[in-house]
Amino acid sequence: MRELQQDGRLSNQELAQRVGLSPSPCLRRVRQLEQDGVIQGYRAVIDPEAVGRGFEVLVSVEVKRDRETVEAFEEALQSIPDVIEAYRLFGSPGCLLRIAVADLAAYERLWIEQLTALAGVTEVNSQIIMKRIKEPKGMPVDVRGS
């Protein structure tokens, strides 16, 4: 798993060599991990600047705390492509969003036209990301005799 998180395009042959297995058992293990849902997919890592989304903002949102409003808010977030991650939190704030847009003007439009207009939203606070210090590199994986 650790090797595939670092390079999801490894050939089975290369992966087998790196983990000290022959190709056939290695492929069986990878397929089993996929089937069990441990490996949920493979993705390309895209440079946000290269696709015009180099302006990233962390946004905390407070939403009225009744089930219907929260569910409607979460459903509405699914249709906003600029929201690239969303988390419901315990405590306050109730929700944390990661947003990627072209620039400050694009974020302001999103803030005015979409975020503050969502049903149940009572507060929106923005933290503009100055510098990414640590990139997501995958989930830490402990070897447990498998």
Side-chain angles (χ1 to χ4, degrees):
M1 289 183 286
R2 195 173 303 115
E3 293 294 333
L4 286 174
Q5 284 187 111
Q6 290 176 3
D7 184 355
R9 295 185 68 178
L10 281 175
S11 69
N12 184 60
Q13 187 77 23
E14 177 67 22
L15 178 60
Q17 185 177 16
R18 288 186 187 188
V19 299
L21 291 172
S22 61
S24 186
C26 182
L27 184 58
R28 277 195 304 274
R29 284 188 184 189
V30 169
R31 288 205 172 130
Q32 189 64 53
L33 290 168
E34 292 168 346
Q35 187 176 18
D36 292 346
V38 176
I39 296 176
Q40 296 180 344
Y42 301 89
R43 294 176 182 85
V45 178
I46 306 296
D47 175 7
E49 292 283 345
V51 294
R53 291 185 175 272
F55 190 83
E56 292 188 46
V57 184
L58 297 176
V59 180
S60 59
V61 180
E62 285 294 351
V63 178
K64 291 180 191 168
R65 301 210 182 204
D66 64 83
R67 182 179 182 162
E68 189 175 296
T69 302
V70 169
E71 288 175 354
F73 171 79
E74 290 177 0
E75 181 65 29
L77 286 180
Q78 302 303 318
S79 65
I80 304 174
D82 299 323
V83 177
I84 57 175
E85 290 182 74
Y87 302 92
R88 185 190 313 164
L89 307 174
F90 287 105
S92 187
C95 189
L96 181 65
L97 312 177
R98 182 170 155 232
I99 293 175
V101 292
D103 53 27
L104 180 59
Y107 177 65
E108 183 179 15
R109 280 191 305 279
L110 175 72
W111 191 91
I112 291 170
E113 296 170 8
Q114 293 184 292
L115 296 179
T116 59
L118 291 171
V121 170
T122 60
E123 189 175 335
V124 178
N125 292 298
S126 309
Q127 301 292 316
I128 297 170
I129 296 175
M130 180 187 306
K131 175 184 175 184
R132 190 179 301 231
I133 298 169
K134 184 176 180 181
E135 295 279 337
K137 298 291 184 194
M139 195 61 59
V141 179
D142 296 328
V143 178
R144 290 185 241 164
S146 54

